[in-house]
């Protein structure tokens, strides 16, 4: 399926001027605060983006907020039956940009990207894992399981907030809350 990206720079953003220094505990506290802020910011964006997408007949698939080479990126993946078009991405980007500029407080400037999920669609909600049972996925955990964090296998089921995979013919169960990111593996 086609992959579209529409970019917009957030307008009313404040730049953080805090400098980090000192010992490891202070750095860890700073990382925890940053992770908490990022999680809260994504939840705020979702609160505005979800009803907007629904009103336009689309599904909000996933939201990412991360630091990349060019700075902070707020990336939304949207989908609809028959797939999204460039005009869909542009419409959501424009409307959401206006809403976020007026109602969401970001601590750093960011670039807004809205695109289709593509063949390597991100999986974020439990419903996504249930929906794509039988598909090959790749996921990364927050904490190691048997000395590893990266897993690729066939998604078998979701049972009691555990994602059950089959990896090289062996079953592996991973707690949903331990998953930091997951995607479908594009079969070519």
């Amino acid at each position: 399926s086609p992959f579209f990206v529409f970019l917009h720079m957030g307008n009313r953003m404040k730049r953080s001027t805090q400098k980090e220094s000192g010992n490891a505990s202070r750095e860890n506290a700073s990382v925890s605060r940053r992770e908490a802020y990022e999680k809260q910011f994504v939840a705020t964006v979702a609160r505005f983006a979800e009803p907007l997408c629904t009103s336009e007949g689309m599904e909000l698939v996933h939201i990412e907020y991360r630091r990349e080479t060019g700075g902070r990126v707020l990336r939304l993946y949207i989908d609809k039956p028959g797939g999204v078009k460039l005009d869909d991405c542009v419409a959501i980007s424009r409307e959401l940009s206006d809403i976020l500029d007026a109602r969401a407080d970001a601590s750093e400037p960011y670039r807004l990207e809205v695109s289709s999920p593509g063949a390597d669609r991100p999986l974020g909600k439990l419903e996504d894992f249930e929906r794509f049972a039988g598909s090959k996925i790749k996921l990364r955990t927050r904490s190691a399981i048997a000395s590893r964090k990266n897993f690729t296998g066939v998604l078998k089921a979701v049972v009691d907030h555990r994602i059950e995979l089959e990896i090289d013919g062996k079953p592996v169960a991973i707690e949903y809350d331990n998953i930091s990111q997951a995607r479908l593996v594009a079969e070519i």
Side-chain angles (χ1 to χ4, degrees):
S1 67
F3 183 78
F4 302 106
V5 176
F6 187 80
L7 303 174
H8 174 77
M9 296 299 290
N11 296 344
R12 301 175 32 171
M13 305 302 137
K14 297 180 230 163
R15 186 158 207 78
S16 175
T17 57
Q18 284 185 331
K19 296 202 182 229
E20 294 193 40
S21 62
N23 59 36
S25 64
R26 185 171 174 171
E27 289 175 13
N28 288 340
S30 177
V31 168
S32 295
R33 280 192 305 272
R34 185 173 51 245
E35 288 174 352
Y37 166 76
E38 290 172 359
K39 193 173 189 176
Q40 181 269 329
F41 183 66
V42 166
T44 299
V45 171
R47 195 173 71 239
F48 296 121
E50 188 77 43
L52 173 62
C53 289
T54 301
S55 72
E56 297 291 330
M58 294 181 225
E59 171 193 4
L60 176 62
V61 174
H62 188 68
I63 300 173
E64 295 175 350
Y65 181 63
R66 54 196 295 171
R67 181 173 306 282
E68 293 185 357
T69 305
R72 285 272 177 199
V73 175
L74 175 62
R75 185 173 294 123
L76 280 74
Y77 296 96
I78 60 173
D79 204 2
K80 70 178 186 181
V84 295
K85 308 275 188 268
L86 181 58
D87 291 342
D88 298 322
C89 295
V90 169
I92 294 296
S93 178
R94 285 184 180 153
E95 291 181 53
L96 184 61
S97 176
D98 291 343
I99 293 168
L100 294 178
D101 285 349
R103 306 203 49 206
D105 187 26
S107 64
E108 295 182 68
Y110 62 87
R111 188 175 67 243
L112 175 62
E113 296 180 4
V114 177
S115 69
S116 70
D120 61 344
R121 177 189 182 104
L123 306 173
K125 302 173 261 190
L126 271 174
E127 295 81 22
D128 295 338
F129 289 95
E130 292 167 350
R131 179 175 169 188
F132 291 101
S135 300
K136 188 172 184 180
I137 68 168
K138 179 184 283 191
L139 64 82
R140 180 170 177 80
T141 59
R142 288 182 175 83
S143 58
I145 299 171
S147 301
R148 60 189 276 205
K149 288 187 168 188
N150 296 306
F151 299 87
T152 301
V154 176
L155 176 58
K156 289 302 189 180
V158 177
V159 179
D160 297 327
H161 275 68
R162 283 191 321 276
I163 308 305
E164 296 185 356
L165 301 174
E166 183 177 302
I167 302 173
D168 298 326
K170 297 178 183 123
V172 175
I174 299 172
E175 291 293 328
Y176 172 73
D177 292 336
N178 191 21
I179 297 172
S180 63
Q181 57 184 283
R183 291 187 168 276
L184 292 177
V185 173
E187 301 285 336
I188 298 175

